Amino acid sequence: MSQYDAEMSHGMHVVHDGPPQAPPVLLIHGSGASGASWDLVVPVLAERRHVVRIDLPGSGTSPPVPSYDVPLQAGRVAALLDDLGLRSVTVVGHSSGGYVATALAERRPDLVGAIALVSTGPSLDALLPQPMILRLLLAPPLGPLLWRRRTDAMLRKAIGATAARPVDVPADMLDDLRATSYRSFRTVARGNTAYLAERSVPERLAALTVPVLVLFGAADPRWDPSSAHRYEAVPDARLELLPGVGHLPPLEAPGTTGELLLGLAVRDAGLPSVGPES
């Protein structure tokens, strides 16, 4: 793996890994996270792919913006890809990052060659009751107070509450989580809710003609794992349920996640697949 560039573009911190001329893969993190959440997956991809990671506005090292509506986030990502001159990109979104990936394909299908959704809830009714630590951190009146007093141990506990197995949390990810403000996180959450309330993700994808890979932890405590089967209604969609994995496949099963994503990118490029097949 060779990390060769990092920059700030369109209000987003951008990091490039792997060969610049290789087929491009864009990694979009979920709410409250950052590009560092992909740290354990990147080595698998960067051997053969040009990997682009971003910190969405208001997350990690990217400054806040007035609005985090999902279509606006997708527009910012589209402008970035235009500047980079990238087309037929395999766009990967973890959790709510999948909404930005989907909105990008809706808005600019010319940029997207394939989509992978990792632990992306299909609709609002699939959301499970959240772990207590998350409810305390995120909901008023305690949320804003606790947010300012977050320790590494508290952050690790909150992250671990969404996993089904012990996870190795990258130090960069903790640093980026501390940098995200409570206001930004809550505003992003409202934007995600509005996007889902308007139309479910499977309905949106069914209107497109892009190949779709859905990765879902079979023990996801945030979204009902059985709801992943709703994506089977999407033409040209492939569903992979990961046994014993929760909401964080990039941390809980980075090798398997990376190989499956690489397999999608390889098939999109018309090359032999190296990822596991189902």
Side-chain angles (χ1 to χ4, degrees), residues 29-225:
H29 61 82
S31 302
S34 69
S37 62
W38 298 102
D39 278 1
L40 303 181
V41 176
V42 168
V44 179
L45 297 176
E47 291 295 325
R48 305 184 188 183
R49 296 289 171 263
H50 172 192
V51 182
V52 181
R53 280 184 288 170
I54 59 175
D55 290 354
L56 290 170
S59 301
T61 56
S62 297
V65 292
S67 175
Y68 300 99
D69 287 350
V70 171
L72 288 179
Q73 297 279 56
R76 295 175 182 121
V77 175
L80 169 66
L81 294 179
D82 280 336
D83 280 1
L84 294 174
L86 298 179
R87 293 292 184 274
S88 297
V89 180
T90 297
V91 182
V92 184
H94 173 245
S95 193
S96 63
Y99 308 142
V100 178
T102 302
L104 176 63
E106 290 177 308
R107 186 183 184 111
R108 291 289 304 278
D110 58 306
L111 297 177
V112 181
I115 293 178
L117 304 181
V118 182
S119 305
T120 297
S123 57
L124 291 174
D125 63 347
L127 188 64
L128 297 173
Q130 299 304 286
M132 179 60 72
I133 180 68
L134 293 181
R135 281 183 279 167
L136 289 174
L137 274 173
L138 302 180
L142 290 179
L145 299 174
L146 289 176
W147 196 269
R148 293 193 293 269
R149 293 168 172 78
R150 291 169 299 162
T151 64
D152 281 2
M154 189 182 298
L155 289 172
R156 290 182 188 278
K157 183 176 180 180
I159 294 169
T162 68
R165 61 180 73 178
V167 292
D168 179 15
V169 181
D172 288 351
M173 185 175 174
L174 290 178
D175 291 341
D176 289 344
L177 280 169
R178 279 194 297 270
T180 301
S181 73
Y182 181 81
R183 179 191 176 279
S184 291
F185 187 93
R186 292 290 294 177
T187 309
V188 167
R190 285 194 291 270
N192 295 334
T193 298
Y195 185 73
L196 279 181
E198 183 181 80
R199 200 178 182 197
S200 75
V201 183
E203 287 180 290
R204 293 174 182 276
L205 293 173
L208 306 175
T209 58
V210 61
V212 177
L213 171 66
V214 176
L215 304 184
F216 225 92
D220 192 325
R222 292 209 65 206
W223 297 94
D224 180 0

Side-chain angles (χ1 to χ4, degrees), residues 236-261:
D236 204 14
R238 172 187 171 196
L239 172 62
E240 291 281 351
L241 284 170
L242 305 181
V245 174
H247 188 63
L248 305 172
L251 297 182
E252 297 176 75
T256 299
T257 299
E259 288 176 356
L260 287 166
L261 296 179

